[in-house]
Amino acid sequence: MNTQKIVGLVLEGVDSLGFKLDEMGITNKLNRHNIAAFLMAEQKHLEGEWDSLQAKVDRRRSQIEHLTQHVENRADAILSPVLTHVNRFRASH
């Protein structure tokens, strides 16, 4: 189910709830407009939280990639001379 369908169903539910509240005489503090505004604000809040989480994941991924590259470079720097000596030794025998 896509987001637009979910939003449509939620707003229909909010409208229905607002209508029932109007019938019951609860109109001052809790009405369909306030509920809809609250839901939309919370949607934006959750989108912001998701973006923040994605940024943190991307940052950690970048740090891990940098660390991996650093380890590979260090391993090459250490192992390259050793392999050169081993290959020379093999060639001489």
Side-chain angles (χ1 to χ4, degrees), residues 3 40-53:
T3 306
M40 288 179 192
E42 282 304 305
Q43 177 188 4
K44 293 300 177 188
H45 174 78
L46 290 174
E47 288 173 2
E49 290 294 327
W50 178 255
D51 289 343
S52 176
L53 183 61

Side-chain angles (χ1 to χ4, degrees), residues 61-74:
R61 183 179 295 129
S62 175
Q63 288 174 334
I64 290 169
E65 288 172 358
H66 177 73
L67 179 62
T68 302
Q69 186 64 41
H70 181 72
V71 168
E72 288 175 355
N73 290 342
R74 294 291 292 168

Side-chain angles (χ1 to χ4, degrees), residues 1-12 43:
M1 189 173 243
N2 68 27
T3 306
Q4 291 302 322
K5 285 184 181 180
I6 293 172
V7 169
L9 288 173
V10 168
L11 289 177
E12 286 177 21
Q43 177 188 4

